Each structure stands twice: as structure tokens, then as C-alpha cells.
Amino acid sequence: MTVEKKATALSGWPMLGPVALLVLGDAALYAVAIPGLVEETESIVPVFMLVGAILLTFVIAVLAGGFFTVQPGQARVCVLFGHYVGTVRSEGFHWANPFYSRRLDSNISAAEVVKVASDDDKSVSLSEGLSTKVSVRARTLNGERLKVNDKVGNPIEIADVVVWHVEDTAKALFDVDDYPSYVAMQAETALRHVASIYPYDHAGDSSDVITLRSNVEEVSAALREELSCRLEPAGVVVDDARLTHLAYASEIAQAMLRRQQAEAVIAARRKIVEGAVGMVEMAVNELARGGAVDLDDERRATMASNLMVVLCGDSEAHPVVNTGSLY
């Protein structure tokens, strides 16, 4: 595997002066040679001056190709005739070997164009190859909604957002064919894998199981770890990964909604019954302890039944006052 190494480049300002002088000299040669040729003199000096001016123009063009700038958050990978020389990370105006490649060839067909969410939000055309100027700023990849099956086989819709940046420019350019599309593909693969190893929600009373809906931090940590392992060969570091969308698929959404509503009703009823039992027990014990009312087992059972009906009923209670004997 390729490892990034540091390359040094000269400052572009000292080279700008000699190149400017060459441009002025070239213009002077053209200014002298062209009028001499127009006058149709027998001297061959204007011809030699014109040839020299043309050659000097070629030299200026080659030297000018060595100028480049590196902005903050960028790096320039230097490749000379297929040989990796190093990476320039120092920002500013530089001059280096003018024969350094500015773009790298790609094995992708010319018809393929992949759009990635980069720092400038532009499309990257694979048919033109990758630029040797690599952005090392943080980028955001907004994943599309995917339909996958969770651990128990329920179809769900899930999407994520991944924040990443290039750490090793050599690995990014030389160890994978196109690192933006590689990141997008591996992000989708990692999300599918993480979604398949966790259930969507708790089933029954198994509250200690990690689920996609309830344990967001644990799932995000697992997704980051999965992405870090998959993107390490491309020299990419994952800064953050989070779920942005999570829902049951449309074909089972209504059934799961009714299930959740039923579970909520059961939980509420259980809580009401637990509270009612405690209140009835407290009322019966207080009456028996004070000795104000002497209740036998049958009367105690009747009182408990009436209190449970009143406390657990959905509608408002309408008491009936008994003016006669209980028997």
C-alpha cells in the first residue's frame, strides 16, 4: 500500500521574476523579427530571431506550467511520469517541476459520472480522471434512503449522514480507483450491515437488547467503527456518522403502528392496575386497623371488587347508595 510522504516545492514568487523577464524578452524578439521579415531584406537575422522567439515561447509555457497554488485545507500530490514524488501540504503560491501531472487517469468508462457531496457541491466526472489537488477538508455524505431488513426480518427504511475527510492523500489517489465513489459505496454497505445486526425496536420485555430506535448512540458508534474499518484502505477518516431517517417500510408500517398502540395501551393498563391494587390494599388495611368497620371476608372481597371497578374503569363512576342491609 502507498503511504503519503512529504514533498517540498519552491515559492512561486522568486520564479515569477525570471519568467516575467523571459516574457518581455520574447515580446522584444517578436517586435524586432516580424518587421524585419515584412521588409523582405536579404538578411537571415530576422528568421533566426523569429525561430528563437518561438522556442522561447515554448520554454515560457513549460516554466509557467510549474506554478500552482495550495489553499488552506488542500494538498497537491506530485506525480512525475507515473512515479509518486510526494505531497505538498503547505499553503501558498508555489513552483515545482512543470512536468508533474495535474490529473490522474481513471479506469472508469467515459459514460460514468458520479455525483458526490463534496465541499464545493460539484459533480466529479470520472471520465476526466481525478485531480492531483486533493481537498483534505471535512466533507458530508448524505446517504439515500435504503430499504433493508433488520435483525428479525422486518423491512425498514434507513438513511445516514457521514462526515469524513482525506487523511492520507497517497492512499486516496493510488490505492482505490476513485475515492469519492468508494466512500459512497462503502457507506451504503456499512449501513446495510449495521441495520441487519440490530432489531428495529424492543420485542416484548427484552429491554436490554440494543435496538435501532432506542439506542441511537450505540448504533452510531457501531456505524462509525464499521466505516472506519472499510475506509482505512482509502486513507479516509470518519469524523462522525449518524442516522437521519428510520422507519418501518410502507408495507408493514400500519401493522407495526397498531402493534405499538396496543403495547402502549397494555403498558398503561398494567400501570393502572398496579396502582389500583395498591390503593385497594391500603384502604382495606386502614379500615381493618382502625376498628371502625368490622369487615368479614365476603364484605372485604365486595369492597375490593367495587374499588377495582371504580379505579380501573374507563368511564366516570356513578355510585349507588344502599340504604338497607348489605344482605
Side-chain angles (χ1 to χ4, degrees), residues 15 18-20 22-23 26 53-68 76 80-81 94-102:
M15 286 295 300
V19 173
L22 290 177
V23 171
D26 193 30
I54 295 174
L55 293 177
L56 188 57
T57 301
F58 176 75
V59 173
I60 292 172
V62 172
L63 292 177
F67 292 107
F68 64 93
R76 169 71 186 275
L80 181 62
F81 302 123
H94 301 282
W95 186 89
N97 193 326
F99 294 103
Y100 283 158
S101 301
R102 293 186 177 270

Side-chain angles (χ1 to χ4, degrees), residues 24 31 33 53 63 117 127 134 154 189 215 220 236 292 304 310 319:
L24 294 177
L63 292 177
S127 60
V134 179
N154 294 324
T189 305
N215 304 92
S220 299
V236 172
V310 171

Side-chain angles (χ1 to χ4, degrees), residues 20 41 46 55 68 91 95 109 129 152 154 160 173 180 189 192 205 260 283 287 302 304 308 314:
T41 59
L55 293 177
F68 64 93
E91 59 189 60
W95 186 89
S109 61
V152 297
N154 294 324
D160 66 344
L173 288 184
T189 305
R192 289 182 181 274
D205 297 331
Q260 291 177 353
L287 289 173
T302 302
M308 289 294 295
D314 289 332

